[in-house]
Amino acid sequence: MNRDGRTRLRSTATVVGTLFVVVLEMAFLTGVWHLGDGVHRQREAAAAFSAVATSVASGSATPDALTRTVDGLARAGVDLTPGSVGATAVDAARALEAAPGDAGALATLRVADAALAEELAEASSARAWLAFAIHAGLLVGVSVGWFAWFRRIVDRHRRLERELTAQRVVDQRERRLLALVQNSADLIVVIEADATISFVSPSAPAVIGRTPDELVGQHVKDLVGDEAPTLLALLTDGRQGDQAVRLRLTRADGRTIVGEGTLTNLLGESTVEAWLLTLRDVTEQHELAEQLSHQAFHDALTGLANRALFADRLEHAISRREGTLAVMFLDLDDFKQVNDTRGHSVGDRLLVVVTDRLRSVLRSRDTAARLGGDEFAVLMEETDRAAAEQMGQRILEVLAQPVSIDGVSWAVKASLGIAFADTRSSTAEDVLREADVAMYWAKEQGKGTLRVFDAAQHAVTLDRLTLQNELVEAIETGGLLLHFQPTVNLRTREVTGFEALVRWQHPSRGFLPPNEFIPAAEESGAIVALGSWVLAEACRAAVELQAPGARVTMAVNVSAQQLCKPDFTAEVAGVLARTGLDPTLLVLEITESVLLDDIVSAAGSLHGLRDLGVSIAIDDFGTGYSSLSYLSQLPVDILKVDKSFIDDIVDDRHAATVTLAILEMSRSLKMTTVAEGVETSEQAAWLEEQDCGRGQGYLWSRPVPFAEARALVPGGAPRVDEVRVG
C-alpha cells in the first residue's frame, strides 16, 4: 500500500474510532443517569405506604389501600423478606389494621417506617455518590484519553510538518544539486552495475567534445577507451567509499586529456544503486607538474639528468644490478678559459655541443647527467670493464673534435674517470666518488686522458691525506723536531755552520725522514706553516750554538710557497728580531726550480732578504736549468753542488769536468761553493785540491740532534775528522 492509501486508511479509522467512543460514552452516561431510578421508586412506594399506614391508624383507610401500598413496595423492590425493616413495617401496619387503637402496634409501625425511610435515604445517597464517582472517573478518563489522543494528533501533525519541511529541503537540495550538476564544469557520469552509462552531465561537450546522448546507454569503455581495464578493475573490486582516479580520455577531436576525480560506490543507496564517476580536466596542471618534475630532475641548459636524478638512478641500478655497472665522471679541461675569454653564452653553447656528442655515442639505456658547471656523469648498466673503457675512449675522441662557434674553433678536451660497482656492498655515493677520484688522476697524468679507479692507489692517496692532516696537527702540537748537519771548511776541517733538517717522530709510523712527508706538505699547503716553524726553531737553535771565538751559520730550506708570500721578508725579519740571531748567520737555501718558476717574484723577495743581511744559497745546483743569466740577476751568495756530481768526481771525468766548471763559475761570481753529499776522504781530498771551500756529507756527520750538534762547534771540541757522529 502506498503512502496516500495509508493516510486515507488512518483518517477513516480515526473518524470511526471517535464515533464509537462517543456512542459508547453516551450509553454509559445514560446508564449512570438512571442508576438511582430504582431507589427513587422504592422511596415513593415507602412514602405511599407510610401515608396509608397513618390512615389505617386513624381508621380512615381501607384494607384494600394498605394491600395496594404493600404490593407497591414489593414492585418497587423494597426488601420485604422476614426480619427486614420493610417486613417489620408491613407487619406493624397489618397489626394496626386489625386493632386500630393498639398503641404498641402504632409505635412499632412508626419505628419501622422511620427505619425504612432512613434505609432508603442511605441507599439513595449511596447511589448518588456512586453516580458522582462514575461521572468524575468518566470525566477524568475521557479527559486523559482525549488529551492523549490530542497529543498524539499534535505530535503526528508536527511530525508531518517536519517531514514536509524535510521534504521541501530535500526537494530544494535536489533542485540545487540538479542545478549544480547541470552547470558544473566537471564531467559527472552515473555507471550502472553492469558498467553501462545511465547519466552524463551537460558538461560533457566542453570536457570531452561529446554530447550526453552519445554516451547514455553505452558501455563505460566507450567513454574511457584504453583506460577501460583500469576503471573496470575498480568497478569489479567493489570497494566502498570514494576512490581517487586519474584517467586519460580521448576527446572527439582526437586530443588526449587527463581527467582526475573520484569514483564513488553508491550501489547500496536505494535512490541511486549505481557508481558515480566525477572527473575534471587537469591536463594543464598535469603538464605543468610534469614540467616542474622535469625541471627538478633535469638540467635546464642541456636537458640531461641532474645530480639528484642521476644519484637516484644509480641507487636503483646498484640495488637491482646483475653483473658489472660502470660510472664515468667527466670534466672539461680548461673550460674556464672559454667563459673568461668569450663569455658564458659561448660556454653554454659549447656545453650543449658536448651534450649532443655524448648522446650520439651512448647506448639508449645509458644515463647521462650534467652534475654542474662543466662536470658530466654517465651510468652504464649491464656492461663490462673492457666495454666501459672503450666507451670512455670513444667519448674522449668524439669530444676532441674541434667545435666552431661564431667563427671561432674550440678544441674540447676532457678528463674522464671510471669506477665500477661489482659487489652488492657498493653504494651510489661510493661509486660516484671513486669515479670523481679517477677523473682527478686523469687530470694529474695529462689532460684529455682516461683513468680507471684503483682501490690500492686510492688507499695510498687516503694514506697521504691522513698523513697531511696528521702533519698539520704535529706542527700545531710540537710533534716535529730538528736535526742539524754540519758544513765543514775543507781546508781546516772545522765546522762553519749547520743545515737545519726537519724530522717527524710519528706516534704510530715511527721516525720519518723529510722525503716521506715533505711532498705531502707541499701538496696540502702545510709546507708554509712547516717552513715557518722550521725557520723559527732553527734561528733559536743557531743562537744557542754560538760559542766564544766561533760563529756558525744556520742554513734553512725555503719552499716556493713560502718565497711567494708577500710578507715572507717581514716574517724573516720578525723571527730574527725575536730570537736575536745576527742576520749574517742565517742562510736561506732555495732550489733552482723554485727560482725559475717565477724569477721576477723570486728576485724581489731575495733582494728584500739580502737587505736584511741574510745570505742566499742555491741548493742542488746543477740539477735544474743552470744559467749564468739568472745567477747574474739574483743576489746569490752560495752555490751548493748537488750530490749527484760529487758521487763520481773521483772516477768519472765528465762529472769531474762539470764540477770544475761549477767551481770556476762560482769563483768568477764571487760566490762560496759547498759540495753536498761528501762520503769519502778521496772526494774530500779532490774537492780540497780544487779549492772548493766547504763540504757537507756523511764523511763528517749525519744530521744529528741539537745536543750532538753543539758538541761539534769549534772552541774546545775535537776536530770532526776525529769524531764520527751517527
Side-chain angles (χ1 to χ4, degrees):
M1 182 180 295
N2 58 25
R3 183 174 180 179
D4 292 340
R6 290 194 297 269
T7 301
R8 286 195 296 271
L9 179 61
R10 189 181 294 109
S11 300
T12 301
T14 300
V15 172
V16 172
T18 302
L19 291 175
F20 176 76
V21 170
V22 170
V23 170
L24 183 63
E25 185 179 9
M26 291 299 295
F28 190 73
L29 288 175
T30 301
V32 174
W33 177 264
H34 294 284
L35 184 63
D37 288 353
V39 177
H40 183 66
R41 286 193 298 272
Q42 289 178 3
R43 294 185 68 178
E44 288 180 350
F49 171 75
S50 178
V52 171
T54 302
S55 298
V56 169
S58 61
S60 59
T62 65
D64 292 336
L66 181 61
T67 300
R68 286 194 302 271
T69 57
V70 171
D71 291 340
L73 288 175
R75 286 194 302 272
V78 177
D79 184 12
L80 298 178
T81 58
S84 63
V85 175
T88 303
V90 171
D91 290 342
R94 289 191 183 280
L96 187 61
E97 183 183 13
D102 188 356
L106 180 60
T108 301
L109 176 62
R110 289 177 176 172
V111 171
D113 185 53
L116 179 61
E118 183 179 356
E119 184 178 86
L120 291 176
E122 291 178 354
S124 178
S125 177
R127 292 290 190 279
W129 279 108
L130 178 61
F132 174 77
I134 291 174
H135 276 91
L138 183 61
L139 179 61
V140 171
V142 170
S143 299
V144 171
W146 275 108
F147 178 78
W149 183 254
F150 181 76
R151 179 64 180 270
R152 183 178 179 185
I153 292 175
V154 171
D155 290 343
R156 184 167 174 269
H157 177 70
R158 290 176 178 174
R159 185 172 66 253
L160 289 175
E161 283 186 342
R162 287 196 297 270
E163 291 178 357
L164 290 174
T165 302
Q167 184 63 41
R168 284 196 296 270
V169 172
V170 170
D171 292 343
Q172 183 179 3
R173 288 179 178 175
E174 288 180 351
R175 289 193 298 272
R176 183 181 181 188
L177 178 60
L178 180 60
L180 291 174
V181 170
Q182 295 289 341
N183 296 279
S184 174
D186 295 346
L187 178 64
I188 302 174
V189 181
V190 177
I191 305 172
E192 300 299 325
D194 60 355
T196 59
I197 299 173
S198 60
F199 173 81
V200 179
S201 63
S203 60
V207 178
I208 58 175
R210 302 171 68 180
T211 64
D213 294 338
E214 296 178 53
L215 296 171
V216 173
Q218 301 298 318
H219 194 274
V220 71
K221 66 182 180 182
D222 189 53
L223 170 66
V224 298
D226 295 338
E227 297 279 9
T230 301
L231 184 58
L232 290 174
L234 295 175
L235 297 176
T236 304
D237 183 51
R239 188 183 306 171
Q240 297 297 318
D242 296 339
Q243 301 180 67
V245 293
R246 173 174 285 201
L247 304 171
R248 291 185 177 272
L249 307 177
T250 302
R251 286 176 50 88
D253 57 8
R255 184 167 60 90
T256 299
I257 65 171
V258 178
E260 186 179 74
T262 57
L263 178 65
T264 306
N265 186 351
L266 297 177
L267 293 174
E269 294 287 339
S270 59
T271 57
V272 182
E273 296 181 346
W275 293 85
L276 180 64
L277 176 64
T278 304
L279 295 174
R280 68 186 61 87
D281 186 357
V282 295
T283 306
E284 293 184 1
Q285 297 92 315
H286 179 72
E287 292 175 350
L288 178 60
E290 288 186 339
Q291 291 176 5
L292 294 175
S293 176
H294 186 275
Q295 293 174 5
F297 293 104
H298 290 80
D299 178 58
L301 176 64
T302 63
L304 296 177
N306 61 11
R307 183 181 290 272
L309 180 57
F310 185 82
D312 181 71
R313 291 187 179 178
L314 178 56
E315 193 73 47
H316 283 81
I318 290 176
S319 65
R320 68 172 182 270
R321 75 178 182 276
E322 296 179 359
T324 301
L325 178 150
V327 173
M328 301 180 186
F329 201 105
L330 181 72
D331 184 85
L332 303 183
D333 297 326
D334 302 325
F335 181 75
K336 185 176 182 297
Q337 296 180 3
V338 179
N339 286 333
D340 292 344
T341 58
R342 300 291 294 180
H344 288 276
S345 61
V346 173
D348 289 346
R349 292 163 65 184
L350 186 60
L351 291 174
V352 172
V353 173
V354 169
T355 300
D356 294 339
R357 292 184 177 182
L358 270 178
R359 288 191 175 118
S360 69
V361 297
L362 293 178
R363 304 172 302 177
S364 59
R365 61 179 179 273
D366 297 335
T367 299
R370 182 187 177 204
L371 304 183
D374 59 341
E375 293 181 342
F376 295 83
V378 176
L379 169 62
M380 294 184 65
E381 299 183 65
E382 300 177 6
T383 186
D384 54 46
R385 291 177 176 263
E389 291 184 36
Q390 183 178 1
M391 176 63 76
Q393 291 292 351
R394 176 63 178 151
I395 291 173
L396 294 181
E397 292 172 1
V398 170
L399 295 182
Q401 299 174 9
V403 179
S404 179
I405 299 178
D406 295 339
V408 180
S409 181
W410 299 93
V412 181
K413 288 187 177 182
S415 297
L416 190 147
I418 304 178
F420 297 95
D422 297 320
T423 64
R424 291 284 179 182
S425 60
S426 299
T427 65
E429 183 179 356
D430 291 339
V431 179
L432 188 60
R433 184 181 63 251
E434 290 169 358
D436 190 12
V437 170
M439 183 273 294
Y440 278 105
W441 292 349
K443 280 190 177 295
E444 290 174 358
Q445 77 176 14
K447 298 175 181 179
T449 59
L450 177 152
R451 285 292 301 273
V452 177
F453 178 81
D454 179 79
Q457 182 179 350
H458 186 52
V460 173
T461 303
L462 290 178
D463 183 69
R464 186 167 65 248
L465 181 60
T466 301
L467 189 67
Q468 291 173 356
N469 294 332
E470 293 174 342
L471 178 58
V472 172
E473 183 179 0
I475 295 171
E476 295 175 350
T477 59
L480 303 176
L481 68 155
L482 290 181
H483 280 192
F484 304 90
Q485 186 172 28
T487 301
V488 177
N489 186 314
L490 290 175
R491 184 171 55 82
T492 65
R493 297 295 198 272
E494 290 183 345
V495 174
T496 60
F498 293 89
E499 180 180 1
L501 300 172
V502 65
R503 299 291 187 266
W504 185 6
Q505 186 64 45
H506 194 278
S508 60
R509 302 174 190 243
F511 190 79
L512 298 180
N515 61 338
E516 293 191 20
F517 61 86
I518 292 298
E522 291 177 340
E523 290 179 7
S524 65
I527 191 67
V528 175
L530 176 61
S532 297
W533 181 85
V534 171
L535 176 64
E537 292 298 317
C539 289
R540 189 175 296 110
V543 173
E544 297 294 328
L545 287 173
Q546 304 305 314
R551 288 168 56 85
V552 292
T553 61
M554 179 62 68
V556 179
N557 291 285
V558 177
S559 69
Q561 296 180 44
Q562 283 181 280
L563 192 62
C564 291
K565 286 176 57 180
D567 60 344
F568 181 63
T569 301
E571 179 184 349
V572 173
V575 171
L576 291 173
R578 287 193 301 272
T579 60
L581 180 64
D582 186 346
T584 60
L585 297 179
L586 177 62
V587 179
L588 298 181
E589 295 188 1
I590 303 165
T591 61
E592 283 186 283
S593 59
V594 171
L595 295 174
L596 295 176
D597 284 342
D598 189 353
I599 193 170
V600 176
S601 298
S605 297
L606 295 181
H607 281 292
L609 294 170
R610 169 62 73 79
D611 292 340
L612 294 176
V614 175
S615 298
I616 306 299
I618 304 299
D619 196 14
D620 301 331
F621 185 79
T623 58
Y625 299 96
S626 302
S627 171
L628 288 175
S629 61
Y630 86 79
L631 288 177
S632 63
Q633 298 176 37
L634 300 176
V636 178
D637 303 294
I638 301 170
L639 290 182
K640 299 188 71 173
V641 184
D642 189 69
K643 181 179 183 299
S644 60
F645 298 106
I646 304 303
D647 287 342
D648 300 322
I649 56 174
V650 176
D651 302 321
D652 187 342
R653 176 175 291 184
H654 177 71
T657 301
V658 172
T659 303
L660 283 173
I662 294 174
L663 293 174
E664 289 296 332
M665 181 180 63
S666 178
R667 280 192 290 269
S668 65
L669 294 174
K670 298 180 180 180
M671 297 180 184
T672 301
T673 307
V674 178
E676 295 183 293
V678 179
E679 297 182 351
T680 66
S681 58
E682 290 81 7
Q683 294 170 346
W686 189 92
L687 291 168
E688 182 181 0
E689 182 181 349
Q690 302 303 324
D691 197 19
C692 176
R694 298 177 186 176
Q696 183 180 6
Y698 287 177
L699 174 63
W700 300 291
S701 175
R702 292 175 178 272
V704 296
F706 176 78
E708 297 181 28
R710 189 169 188 177
L712 298 176
V713 177
R719 286 160 49 98
V720 293
D721 56 357
E722 298 174 4
V723 178
R724 290 299 175 90
V725 181

